[in-house]
Structure formats: structure tokens, C-alpha cells
Amino acid sequence: MPLVAYEQILREQRDDILLLTLNRPDKLNAWTPTMSRELTEAILAADVDPTVGAVVMTGAGRAFCAGADISAVFDARLSGDEAAARPDRSRDWVELIRSTKPIVAAVNGAAVGVGLTMILPFDRIVAARSAKLSTRFVKLGLVPELASSALLPRRCGLGVASDLMLSGRIVLGDEAAALGLADEVVADDEVVDTAVARARSYAENPTPQLRWIKQLLSENASETDLKLVQQRELAMLEKAYASAEHKEAVAAFLEKRPPVFR
């Protein structure tokens, strides 16, 4: 992957895992339109890079992302500078995350507002025990975004999602895992390595099939018509049967060797 100079994120490749780090530690990695654009560009680049099997995202310093930058986003909007406050609408973030290679969040600290909703569509959320997670929009007189009013109930159930969004309360790592907001909680100093290990367990599998599985999960998660669910699965299965990756997996099994997918 060609190196790109980013202003607000860092990029590090660990074998077949791309580690993206939100890099505004003095601002607790507060979200800005620039950060959003750089993350989108980095993920799109990783998606076409054959040396990358999966992506991990974390934050520099003591926070993951403590929400939107008040001065860069809210104050600019209230002052009438919509251009400065406007996120990049050329690419749908949720659609990007659900269609890209596997992506895992390593929540090392505060993940508040958009710092939380941006990772709800991720394939796995690993939280540090001291992490603080909150959908805090109501405290700012706002409502949730990034499809979080649908994604949070899918993760936690309607009752928990209602409680978190209506109160705006903060939960720590252990409670987040108990509620289903995080998929697992680990010691603070293990969060990135754990997330990388999870991502690597996905990356060892064939990329086209990983994308197809994510597509099926996205389309069928709230589908009530089981016949339609099966139709989608069968259509994708036909593509999989004809794929080079399936043929390689069968050959590797018969030849008693590990498959080579990348």
C-alpha cells in the first residue's frame, strides 16, 4: 500500500493486519471531518491492498474518541460555517464498514457520541476494562446518528439501547460487555493485541467470502422472511462454489496442507 501522509490518524501494518490509530491525543481524539475523511481513505486503500486481510482501529493516548470536536464541528455549525462542520457525505460510513474487509475496534479509553456510533457497525468491539462508552447525544440536545438507533438495539436489545440513549450515561468496559455493547473486555494493556489477534483470525480466511458473509449478515440481521434469507444465501453460495478460494480450500484439504488464500 502506498504511504500517505495523514494529519489526524496513524497507519501501521502488522503483517496482514492494518492498525489505524486516531491521533489527536491532546484532544482525546475528538472527531473532525478531516479525521473522517482520512479514515475513509485509509480503509478504502486497505480494501484494495492484497497484503491487508483485516483492519483494527484504536486511539492514541488515553482515549479512543471522546466525541465530536466541539469547536471544529458544533461551534462552527452554530456560527454558520456549515462547510467546516460538514462530514464527508461522498461515502456512507456504515455502508463502507459493512462492505469492507473485517474491521475490529480496540477501545482503549473514552468512546463517546460519534466515538461510539462509528464503531457499532464494526465486526467486533474489544474494550479495555477502563474504557468509558456512552451515546451522549441527548446531553448536547441532539439525537443519535450513523444508523445507531438501529444498530445499538441489534447489539444490546431495545431496553438496553433505550436506557443508554435516553440517559446518555457512561458505562465502563465490564458493564459494556455485560450489556452486549462491547463483544469482549480485556485488561487495558491487552486491548490492541487482543483486537489484532481477533482480526488475524478473520484475515486468515478468503477475502471475497468474508465480504459475502458480512453482506449476508447485514441484509439478513433484521429480515423476517426466512425464505428470502435462504434465497440470498443460496445466491451467494453459488458464487462461492465457483470461486478460486473454494477450489483452493478443497485442494488443500485433499492434499493435507494449509490453504493459501492470499
Side-chain angles (χ1 to χ4, degrees):
M1 182 190 299
L3 294 178
V4 178
Y6 295 115
E7 296 178 18
Q8 298 186 3
I9 68 171
L10 299 175
R11 172 195 172 280
E12 175 193 348
Q13 191 156 345
R14 299 186 180 183
D15 299 320
D16 57 349
I17 304 303
L18 178 66
L19 177 63
L20 298 177
T21 303
L22 311 184
N23 190 37
R24 302 183 73 215
D26 56 324
K27 299 286 188 178
L28 298 181
N29 303 316
W31 181 97
T32 69
T34 296
M35 177 183 289
S36 177
R37 182 175 63 254
E38 292 183 353
L39 286 172
T40 297
E41 291 173 356
I43 292 169
L44 287 171
D47 211 37
V48 297
D49 187 339
T51 69
V52 174
V55 176
V56 170
M57 187 185 299
T58 193
R62 58 192 179 91
F64 179 78
C65 175
D69 187 300
I70 298 294
S71 59
V73 180
F74 299 136
D75 186 57
R77 177 173 282 111
L78 292 173
S79 301
D81 189 356
E82 286 290 333
R86 187 180 301 120
D88 180 10
R89 299 297 188 189
S90 63
R91 172 68 67 159
D92 182 317
W93 175 259
V94 176
E95 179 183 44
L96 171 65
I97 297 303
R98 294 311 306 158
S99 63
T100 193
K101 293 173 181 176
I103 182 164
V104 179
V107 182
N108 58 302
V112 177
V114 69
L116 177 57
T117 59
M118 71 188 293
I119 63 174
L120 290 180
F122 279 31
D123 300 298
R124 192 163 185 85
I125 297 175
V126 181
R129 191 150 278 117
S130 68
K132 299 178 180 180
L133 298 86
S134 175
T135 55
R136 208 160 177 78
F137 300 96
V138 71
K139 298 295 188 184
L140 289 173
L142 299 173
V143 299
E145 32 64 291
L146 293 180
S148 59
S149 56
L151 295 172
L152 188 61
R154 290 184 190 179
R155 281 186 171 273
C156 304
L158 181 60
V160 171
S162 296
D163 172 60
L164 294 176
M165 287 186 165
L166 296 177
S167 69
R169 70 185 182 92
I170 294 172
V171 299
L172 299 180
D174 284 315
E175 184 180 4
L179 295 175
L181 181 56
D183 297 304
E184 61 182 305
V185 60
V186 297
D188 291 11
D189 59 355
E190 297 175 2
V191 65
V192 171
D193 288 342
T194 300
V196 168
R198 288 292 186 187
R200 184 158 289 129
S201 74
Y202 309 148
E204 68 185 17
N205 298 310
T207 295
Q209 283 76 1
L210 290 170
R211 283 202 185 94
W212 296 337
I213 290 170
K214 289 185 63 169
Q215 181 180 338
L216 287 171
L217 288 169
S218 298
E219 292 177 345
N220 294 334
S222 59
E223 180 60 65
T224 59
D225 185 342
L226 295 186
K227 288 185 177 179
L228 181 56
V229 169
Q230 292 183 86
Q231 288 171 6
R232 290 170 178 159
E233 292 171 343
L234 288 172
M236 207 66 81
L237 196 55
E238 289 301 318
K239 292 174 65 175
Y241 279 137
S243 70
E245 292 79 14
H246 174 61
K247 294 173 184 176
E248 165 63 12
V250 173
F253 177 82
L254 295 175
E255 296 166 13
K256 295 181 174 56
R257 61 172 175 79
V260 179
F261 294 127
R262 185 174 299 106

